[in-house]
Amino acid sequence: MTTTEAGATHGYHKQKDEHLKRLRRIEGQIRGLQRMVDEDTYCIDILTQVSASTKALQSFALQLLEEHLRHCVADAAVKGGDEIDAKVDEATKAIGRLLRT
């Protein structure tokens, strides 16, 4: 579900190439997990890799959240009105979802 306006620039726009590289590395970690299971790797070794993959995703999410706050929420604060309340509420819900994982 997206809540963007057509043609809007997102907070991660300037770092898009870096984010894509990071996500490709994470994708490689997940493929590594699949390979480990396929090769009957020891359970603890797989769990160690799961932990590393989870940490990588959490780190990515935190960076994306920071960019959202610095760009989208800050922009809404400048515009004022109901938009700032909506953006803060949106960010708060996103943080809540991240904390539940």
Side-chain angles (χ1 to χ4, degrees), residues 8-56:
T9 301
H10 303 291
Y12 62 84
H13 180 73
K14 291 180 183 177
Q15 306 296 330
K16 187 174 180 178
D17 289 339
E18 289 177 34
H19 288 321
L20 289 171
K21 285 180 193 177
R22 196 171 188 182
L23 287 169
R24 286 184 194 106
R25 280 194 304 270
I26 294 168
E27 180 181 22
Q29 287 179 299
I30 302 305
R31 285 197 183 122
L33 283 167
Q34 293 170 336
R35 188 171 40 257
M36 291 172 85
V37 170
D38 187 49
E39 295 171 355
D40 294 320
T41 302
Y42 184 57
C43 305
I44 297 302
D45 294 338
I46 295 171
L47 288 170
T48 300
Q49 184 62 28
V50 167
S51 178
S53 301
T54 301
K55 180 73 175 166

Side-chain angles (χ1 to χ4, degrees), residues 36-82:
M36 291 172 85
V37 170
D38 187 49
E39 295 171 355
D40 294 320
T41 302
Y42 184 57
C43 305
I44 297 302
D45 294 338
I46 295 171
L47 288 170
T48 300
Q49 184 62 28
V50 167
S51 178
S53 301
T54 301
K55 180 73 175 166
L57 276 172
Q58 288 171 338
S59 178
F60 172 74
L62 187 59
Q63 179 66 39
L64 202 60
L65 178 62
E66 180 182 353
E67 291 167 353
H68 176 69
L69 293 171
R70 290 186 185 278
H71 180 268
C72 303
V73 176
D75 185 55
V78 169
K79 291 178 182 175
D82 293 337

Side-chain angles (χ1 to χ4, degrees), residues 67-99:
E67 291 167 353
H68 176 69
L69 293 171
R70 290 186 185 278
H71 180 268
C72 303
V73 176
D75 185 55
V78 169
K79 291 178 182 175
D82 293 337
E83 190 170 345
I84 183 63
D85 291 333
K87 290 294 181 186
V88 168
D89 185 53
E90 181 181 64
T92 301
K93 288 178 182 173
I95 292 166
R97 287 190 301 273
L98 288 172
L99 291 175

